[in-house]
Amino acid sequence: MRPGAKPDHAAALAQYRARASIYDFELALFEPIRREAISRLALRRGDTVLDVGCGTGLSFAQLQQDIGPTGQIICIEQSPEMLQRAQRRVEQQAWRNVTLLCAPVEEAQIPVMADAALFHFTHDILRSSEAIANVVGHLKPAAHVVAAGLQWAGPWTWPVNFFVLPAALHSTTSLEGLDRPWDKLAGLVGSLDVQTRLMGAVYIASGACGKRSRRAGARERAHPQGRR
Ligand SMILES: C[S@@+](CC[C@H](N)C(=O)[O-])C[C@H]1O[C@@H](n2cnc3c(N)ncnc32)[C@H](O)[C@@H]1O
């Protein structure tokens, strides 16, 4: 991998073909991050959520709890081996409200306008302006967006990067932008609240398309004209 090189589709497909069978075990350490990231989506019953780069579907159970059977999960994943495992999970749980799209996010034909989008450990996708534009173009105004993943730890915690580097090399095809992985997303969505976890090795960035969140909109509808 050349420093600063862009994500490489063919390399990513090979990477996840090799990883698919052990992927769920490898991600166990990050399950608390997943839980926090999904809770920051502030999903409501009946919502439609995009799970961008869904992998084997590790986020599905919590997303289902939040949106209920009247909601929808639209998943975009380019690795057939990862998506096959996601499909198996859907069948085992008999979920009827999950749509799996096997495509690079840049080219995916997203069939809905969604209430929220999750980018969980999807660095390659977040470094692709075309991919982010396709997702954001299929979000309703004020939709919630959350991205979480690895990042370079700051100067005061630089030893943490001895963990970040091999973990990133194992799961992405580009280290470009690892100091601010969310910055292209912020460019399209608007400002993001960025928190760090695991001594700065992981970020959770959350925000809403445009300035007002859906929750703020709902509050205003309930209490119009400053009656809060
Ligand atoms: C580290 S895994 C994360 C999977 C899942 N979000 C999770 O939290 O477990 C990254 C996933 O992004 C997928 N991916 C990478 N680049 C992609 C692209 N351009 N389009 C679609 N999927 C992509 C990979 O195939 C892989 O399944």
Side-chain angles (χ1 to χ4, degrees):
M1 190 188 297
R2 282 179 293 112
K6 291 194 162 165
D8 177 333
H9 277 278
L13 285 169
Q15 194 171 44
Y16 283 94
R17 188 177 308 126
R19 267 186 96 182
S21 62
I22 49 166
Y23 179 81
D24 291 4
F25 300 106
E26 292 182 342
L27 261 275
L29 168 68
F30 299 108
E31 285 311 299
I33 304 292
R34 183 188 307 282
R35 283 197 291 277
E36 183 174 354
I38 295 176
S39 72
R40 281 173 181 269
L41 284 173
L43 292 166
R44 299 179 296 196
R45 310 296 279 179
D47 272 356
T48 296
V49 56
L50 305 180
D51 188 350
V52 184
C54 70
T56 61
L58 285 172
S59 296
F60 294 174
Q62 192 180 339
L63 292 174
Q64 289 284 7
Q65 268 176 22
D66 291 350
I67 63 172
T70 56
Q72 276 195 80
I73 308 175
I74 311 293
C75 313
I76 311 157
E77 171 55 55
Q78 70 176 5
S79 160
E81 293 81 7
M82 295 290 274
L83 203 64
Q84 205 172 39
R85 287 174 159 75
Q87 172 79 48
R88 203 175 304 153
R89 199 183 295 275
V90 170
E91 285 166 5
Q92 279 166 357
Q93 299 296 327
W95 286 320
R96 293 172 178 278
N97 57 349
V98 182
T99 302
L100 303 174
L101 304 175
C102 190
V105 177
E106 292 82 346
E107 296 164 17
Q109 304 278 318
I110 302 171
V112 291
M113 295 297 285
D115 300 290
L118 175 67
F119 298 80
H120 189 263
F121 283 70
T122 55
H123 185 72
D124 279 358
I125 297 172
L126 286 171
R127 301 320 296 164
S128 162
S129 303
E130 296 80 11
I132 301 173
N134 192 19
V135 172
V136 174
H138 288 88
L139 292 176
K140 294 178 188 169
H144 285 172
V145 177
V146 175
L150 293 166
Q151 65 170 6
W152 291 132
W156 304 112
T157 47
W158 62 265
V160 173
N161 291 329
F162 287 113
F163 160 79
V164 173
L165 178 61
L169 290 173
H170 188 55
S171 58
T172 72
T173 64
S174 167
L175 298 180
E176 185 273 322
L178 206 61
D179 51 340
R180 291 170 61 84
W182 63 87
D183 63 358
K184 287 181 195 256
L185 184 63
L188 280 188
V189 165
S191 67
L192 296 173
D193 170 46
V194 182
Q195 310 261 332
T196 60
R197 300 287 180 266
L198 298 180
M199 295 192 292
V202 167
Y203 68 93
I204 303 179
S206 54
C209 292
K211 286 215 164 71
R212 290 159 66 249
S213 72
R214 285 185 305 145
R215 264 190 296 188
R219 272 201 307 271
E220 271 173 32
R221 281 192 296 281
H223 308 284
Q225 299 298 319
R227 285 168 52 211
R228 263 165 278 168

Tab-separated table of all heavy atoms in Angstrom, residues 9 16 23 27 34 53-55 58 77-79 82 103-106 120-122 124-125, ligand 1:
chain	number	residue	atom	x	y	z
A	9	HIS	N	-10.392	-1.164	-5.129
A	9	HIS	CA	-11.534	-2.096	-5.107
A	9	HIS	C	-11.103	-3.552	-5.170
A	9	HIS	O	-11.581	-4.384	-4.399
A	9	HIS	CB	-12.471	-1.818	-6.291
A	9	HIS	CG	-13.428	-0.725	-6.025
A	9	HIS	ND1	-14.592	-0.906	-5.323
A	9	HIS	CD2	-13.394	0.578	-6.351
A	9	HIS	CE1	-15.229	0.249	-5.228
A	9	HIS	NE2	-14.516	1.159	-5.844
A	16	TYR	N	-11.396	-9.009	1.826
A	16	TYR	CA	-12.572	-9.510	2.544
A	16	TYR	C	-12.978	-10.920	2.119
A	16	TYR	O	-13.657	-11.614	2.868
A	16	TYR	CB	-13.712	-8.482	2.470
A	16	TYR	CG	-13.402	-7.378	3.444
A	16	TYR	CD1	-12.746	-6.223	3.032
A	16	TYR	CD2	-13.647	-7.540	4.799
A	16	TYR	CE1	-12.376	-5.242	3.948
A	16	TYR	CE2	-13.286	-6.574	5.723
A	16	TYR	CZ	-12.654	-5.427	5.294
A	16	TYR	OH	-12.271	-4.478	6.207
A	23	TYR	N	-14.280	-13.016	10.243
A	23	TYR	CA	-14.518	-11.589	10.470
A	23	TYR	C	-15.254	-11.309	11.790
A	23	TYR	O	-14.863	-10.425	12.559
A	23	TYR	CB	-15.309	-10.999	9.291
A	23	TYR	CG	-15.594	-9.541	9.483
A	23	TYR	CD1	-14.624	-8.584	9.197
A	23	TYR	CD2	-16.804	-9.106	10.018
A	23	TYR	CE1	-14.865	-7.244	9.418
A	23	TYR	CE2	-17.041	-7.770	10.237
A	23	TYR	CZ	-16.074	-6.845	9.939
A	23	TYR	OH	-16.302	-5.513	10.179
A	27	LEU	N	-13.953	-8.754	15.042
A	27	LEU	CA	-14.581	-7.473	15.384
A	27	LEU	C	-15.098	-7.413	16.820
A	27	LEU	O	-15.606	-6.390	17.262
A	27	LEU	CB	-15.722	-7.197	14.392
A	27	LEU	CG	-15.406	-6.237	13.238
A	27	LEU	CD1	-15.608	-4.786	13.650
A	27	LEU	CD2	-13.986	-6.418	12.700
A	34	ARG	N	-19.756	-0.272	18.208
A	34	ARG	CA	-20.923	-0.474	17.334
A	34	ARG	C	-22.212	-0.048	18.059
A	34	ARG	O	-23.046	0.662	17.514
A	34	ARG	CB	-21.023	-1.947	16.932
A	34	ARG	CG	-22.173	-2.239	15.951
A	34	ARG	CD	-22.341	-3.733	15.731
A	34	ARG	NE	-21.125	-4.405	15.338
A	34	ARG	CZ	-20.616	-4.380	14.094
A	34	ARG	NH1	-21.233	-3.736	13.143
A	34	ARG	NH2	-19.485	-5.016	13.825
A	53	GLY	N	-21.591	-0.583	3.599
A	53	GLY	CA	-20.475	-1.516	3.825
A	53	GLY	C	-20.841	-2.427	4.983
A	53	GLY	O	-20.105	-2.524	5.965
A	54	CYS	N	-21.976	-3.100	4.852
A	54	CYS	CA	-22.575	-3.819	6.007
A	54	CYS	C	-21.777	-5.042	6.431
A	54	CYS	O	-22.006	-5.580	7.518
A	54	CYS	CB	-24.003	-4.231	5.688
A	54	CYS	SG	-24.094	-5.556	4.452
A	55	GLY	N	-20.866	-5.519	5.572
A	55	GLY	CA	-20.079	-6.697	5.936
A	55	GLY	C	-20.968	-7.906	6.138
A	55	GLY	O	-21.859	-8.201	5.328
A	58	LEU	N	-23.252	-7.586	11.141
A	58	LEU	CA	-23.150	-7.546	12.604
A	58	LEU	C	-24.016	-6.441	13.228
A	58	LEU	O	-24.337	-6.506	14.410
A	58	LEU	CB	-21.691	-7.363	13.030
A	58	LEU	CG	-20.786	-8.590	12.904
A	58	LEU	CD1	-19.330	-8.214	13.169
A	58	LEU	CD2	-21.229	-9.688	13.873
A	77	GLU	N	-22.938	-3.663	0.080
A	77	GLU	CA	-21.691	-4.380	0.377
A	77	GLU	C	-21.152	-4.953	-0.933
A	77	GLU	O	-21.897	-5.588	-1.671
A	77	GLU	CB	-21.985	-5.502	1.390
A	77	GLU	CG	-20.862	-6.479	1.639
A	77	GLU	CD	-19.548	-5.831	2.072
A	77	GLU	OE1	-19.528	-5.088	3.057
A	77	GLU	OE2	-18.532	-6.076	1.381
A	78	GLN	N	-19.872	-4.729	-1.200
A	78	GLN	CA	-19.337	-5.186	-2.494
A	78	GLN	C	-18.745	-6.594	-2.436
A	78	GLN	O	-18.540	-7.209	-3.477
A	78	GLN	CB	-18.284	-4.208	-3.008
A	78	GLN	CG	-16.989	-4.191	-2.227
A	78	GLN	CD	-15.944	-3.263	-2.838
A	78	GLN	OE1	-16.223	-2.566	-3.802
A	78	GLN	NE2	-14.751	-3.258	-2.281
A	79	SER	N	-18.454	-7.100	-1.240
A	79	SER	CA	-17.822	-8.424	-1.147
A	79	SER	C	-18.894	-9.520	-1.114
A	79	SER	O	-19.666	-9.613	-0.142
A	79	SER	CB	-16.961	-8.499	0.122
A	79	SER	OG	-16.732	-9.855	0.462
A	82	MET	N	-18.691	-11.635	2.124
A	82	MET	CA	-19.221	-10.991	3.332
A	82	MET	C	-20.753	-10.945	3.257
A	82	MET	O	-21.463	-11.251	4.232
A	82	MET	CB	-18.664	-9.566	3.466
A	82	MET	CG	-17.158	-9.489	3.679
A	82	MET	SD	-16.604	-10.085	5.296
A	82	MET	CE	-16.783	-8.606	6.296
A	103	ALA	N	-22.872	-4.488	-4.348
A	103	ALA	CA	-22.319	-3.501	-5.283
A	103	ALA	C	-21.342	-2.610	-4.541
A	103	ALA	O	-21.457	-2.436	-3.331
A	103	ALA	CB	-23.450	-2.638	-5.837
A	104	PRO	N	-20.398	-2.018	-5.285
A	104	PRO	CA	-19.610	-0.947	-4.667
A	104	PRO	C	-20.556	0.208	-4.331
A	104	PRO	O	-21.485	0.489	-5.106
A	104	PRO	CB	-18.632	-0.534	-5.784
A	104	PRO	CG	-18.695	-1.602	-6.815
A	104	PRO	CD	-20.029	-2.265	-6.684
A	105	VAL	N	-20.337	0.856	-3.228
A	105	VAL	CA	-21.245	1.931	-2.811
A	105	VAL	C	-21.310	3.025	-3.876
A	105	VAL	O	-22.356	3.641	-4.091
A	105	VAL	CB	-20.788	2.519	-1.450
A	105	VAL	CG1	-21.671	3.675	-1.033
A	105	VAL	CG2	-20.798	1.442	-0.380
A	106	GLU	N	-20.198	3.226	-4.565
A	106	GLU	CA	-20.142	4.269	-5.594
A	106	GLU	C	-21.200	4.049	-6.673
A	106	GLU	O	-21.685	5.001	-7.274
A	106	GLU	CB	-18.765	4.282	-6.266
A	106	GLU	CG	-17.609	4.724	-5.399
A	106	GLU	CD	-17.045	3.610	-4.499
A	106	GLU	OE1	-17.696	2.556	-4.325
A	106	GLU	OE2	-15.935	3.823	-3.974
A	120	HIS	N	-19.976	1.954	9.599
A	120	HIS	CA	-19.257	1.404	10.744
A	120	HIS	C	-18.012	0.657	10.263
A	120	HIS	O	-18.112	-0.364	9.591
A	120	HIS	CB	-20.173	0.458	11.547
A	120	HIS	CG	-19.563	0.025	12.850
A	120	HIS	ND1	-18.904	-1.166	12.999
A	120	HIS	CD2	-19.493	0.661	14.047
A	120	HIS	CE1	-18.477	-1.261	14.255
A	120	HIS	NE2	-18.812	-0.169	14.904
A	121	PHE	N	-16.836	1.210	10.565
A	121	PHE	CA	-15.556	0.639	10.146
A	121	PHE	C	-15.513	0.460	8.628
A	121	PHE	O	-15.323	-0.635	8.114
A	121	PHE	CB	-15.263	-0.663	10.917
A	121	PHE	CG	-14.794	-0.370	12.314
A	121	PHE	CD1	-15.676	0.153	13.251
A	121	PHE	CD2	-13.478	-0.572	12.684
A	121	PHE	CE1	-15.247	0.475	14.539
A	121	PHE	CE2	-13.041	-0.254	13.972
A	121	PHE	CZ	-13.928	0.273	14.904
A	122	THR	N	-15.685	1.579	7.952
A	122	THR	CA	-15.723	1.560	6.483
A	122	THR	C	-14.787	2.658	5.948
A	122	THR	O	-15.218	3.537	5.194
A	122	THR	CB	-17.157	1.819	5.989
A	122	THR	OG1	-17.620	3.037	6.565
A	122	THR	CG2	-18.097	0.697	6.368
A	124	ASP	N	-12.362	2.713	3.690
A	124	ASP	CA	-12.234	2.834	2.231
A	124	ASP	C	-13.420	3.592	1.638
A	124	ASP	O	-13.269	4.391	0.722
A	124	ASP	CB	-12.161	1.442	1.574
A	124	ASP	CG	-10.760	0.826	1.652
A	124	ASP	OD1	-9.837	1.480	2.178
A	124	ASP	OD2	-10.608	-0.309	1.172
A	125	ILE	N	-14.608	3.319	2.166
A	125	ILE	CA	-15.815	3.963	1.625
A	125	ILE	C	-15.805	5.458	1.961
A	125	ILE	O	-16.120	6.302	1.131
A	125	ILE	CB	-17.080	3.271	2.173
A	125	ILE	CG1	-17.117	1.817	1.702
A	125	ILE	CG2	-18.340	4.009	1.744
A	125	ILE	CD1	-18.203	0.962	2.333
B	1	LIG	C1	-14.290	-3.550	8.221
B	1	LIG	S1	-15.650	-4.106	7.259
B	1	LIG	C2	-17.028	-3.399	8.168
B	1	LIG	C3	-18.279	-4.213	8.024
B	1	LIG	C4	-19.455	-3.743	8.890
B	1	LIG	N1	-19.790	-2.355	8.644
B	1	LIG	C5	-19.165	-3.950	10.354
B	1	LIG	O1	-19.214	-2.990	11.101
B	1	LIG	O2	-18.924	-5.073	10.767
B	1	LIG	C6	-15.607	-3.057	5.816
B	1	LIG	C7	-16.584	-3.528	4.751
B	1	LIG	O3	-16.681	-2.542	3.718
B	1	LIG	C8	-16.753	-3.214	2.469
B	1	LIG	N2	-16.336	-2.278	1.415
B	1	LIG	C9	-15.124	-1.689	1.269
B	1	LIG	N3	-15.151	-0.840	0.213
B	1	LIG	C10	-16.409	-0.899	-0.289
B	1	LIG	C11	-17.075	-0.232	-1.367
B	1	LIG	N4	-16.457	0.677	-2.109
B	1	LIG	N5	-18.358	-0.540	-1.608
B	1	LIG	C12	-19.018	-1.463	-0.839
B	1	LIG	N6	-18.448	-2.119	0.183
B	1	LIG	C13	-17.161	-1.827	0.464
B	1	LIG	C14	-15.836	-4.401	2.639
B	1	LIG	O4	-16.107	-5.413	1.688
B	1	LIG	C15	-16.133	-4.821	4.077
B	1	LIG	O5	-17.160	-5.761	4.152
